[in-house]
Amino acid sequence: MSHRELYCDVCEGVALFEVPPCVDGHGIDCPELICTGCGTAVVIATFMVPVARPAEGRRHRPARRAA
């Protein structure tokens, strides 16, 4: 099992968290973690956000200053 030190809200301090046996096949990369002190479970989630890019001909050009 993989171990990580994270802040636990229930223990009110840094505690050792471990990955439980994962039935989804994630192995040590499982997003579910359990506090070894109190048993609180947390899920570590990452989000992928698409980046909006301007259309090819519609790029914003900075204004030129006139002297």
Side-chain angles (χ1 to χ4, degrees), residues 13-52:
V14 176
L16 190 63
F17 281 75
E18 66 180 14
V19 177
C22 183
V23 296
D24 296 328
H26 295 121
I28 61 170
D29 294 328
C30 185
E32 300 174 14
L33 299 172
I34 295 177
C35 177
T36 57
C38 66
T40 298
V42 295
V43 176
I44 306 297
T46 56
F47 296 96
M48 301 213 32
V49 179
V51 177

Side-chain angles (χ1 to χ4, degrees), residues 60-67:
H60 176 70
R61 295 188 181 124
R64 293 186 183 179
R65 291 185 170 182

Side-chain angles (χ1 to χ4, degrees), residues 53-59 61:
R53 297 181 186 223
E56 185 62 35
R58 306 178 101 192
R59 291 189 182 183
R61 295 188 181 124

